[in-house]
Amino acid sequence: FIISFIISGHRNRNPENLGNLGYEMMKNRIFTVLTGSVVFAIMLGIVYIAYEANRIDMIRIKNAQVLRDITPMRDQVNETILDNASIKKQKYENVEAKKISPNLNFLEITEDGYLLIKTMSTLIVLYPVYEDEKIVWRCLGGDDRYVSIECRSKQ
């Protein structure tokens, strides 16, 4: 407001143009407000894009941490499969799951050796595949933005 008054208020001091002075001041103020609004909207958009990118990265990092934290369970299933023993179904929810990993909400080990994992924002399924006389783990994840590379859908 002050800048627009300074810009427009002193330009037309000729007594013949006093009638147009109010109109010119108003026109310049409207232009200044509109310009400021556009600049603010652009800045807000940039801030939101940065926030969203950071949020997605944080979710991906937390999901990767969960996959690292459940490695002992995966190793236990590996040994059980290689020993030709039956896998006991196990469930970890809420507090029990948080003891395994702080970002884990639910973990279930099925009789087939599948690990059903629910993090704060994503459902991930790990399943064992027997290849070349060893167990290899495959992964199915939720939204590709939120999971590590090995869990992303193959396009």
Side-chain angles (χ1 to χ4, degrees), residues 97-123:
K98 297 284 183 208
K99 289 179 184 175
I100 297 169
S101 180
N103 299 306
L104 183 64
N105 287 350
F106 176 82
L107 170 66
E108 182 176 345
I109 302 173
T110 67
E111 288 95 5
D112 298 328
Y114 284 51
L115 276 71
L116 308 174
I117 304 157
K118 174 73 174 105
T119 65
M120 303 232 179
S121 59
T122 309
L123 178 65

Side-chain angles (χ1 to χ4, degrees), residues 39-97:
V39 169
F40 179 73
I42 290 170
M43 290 174 56
L44 192 63
I46 291 169
V47 168
Y48 176 76
I49 290 168
Y51 162 78
E52 184 65 14
N54 186 47
R55 187 182 70 81
I56 290 170
D57 287 343
M58 290 307 298
I59 292 171
R60 190 179 303 132
I61 289 167
K62 289 177 181 180
N63 288 340
Q65 179 65 43
V66 167
L67 292 177
R68 280 192 301 274
D69 291 343
I70 63 163
T71 300
M73 275 69 170
R74 233 177 45 193
D75 293 344
Q76 178 185 2
V77 171
N78 274 355
E79 290 175 20
T80 307
I81 291 172
L82 292 174
D83 292 342
N84 288 325
S86 61
I87 300 170
K88 288 190 341 188
K89 184 175 182 177
Q90 300 173 38
K91 244 185 212 183
Y92 303 91
E93 296 182 70
N94 301 324
V95 175
E96 291 176 321

Side-chain angles (χ1 to χ4, degrees), residues 17-39:
N17 293 331
L18 285 179
N20 292 333
L21 182 60
Y23 171 75
E24 288 295 322
M25 287 177 59
M26 185 60 76
K27 186 171 77 170
N28 287 331
R29 286 184 187 148
I30 290 172
F31 175 76
T32 303
V33 168
L34 290 176
T35 304
S37 298
V38 169
V39 169

Side-chain angles (χ1 to χ4, degrees), residues 3-20:
I3 294 172
S4 66
F5 177 76
I6 292 170
I7 291 171
S8 64
H10 298 293
R11 204 172 15 188
N12 295 323
R13 288 278 175 176
N14 187 350
E16 297 169 2
N17 293 331
L18 285 179
N20 292 333

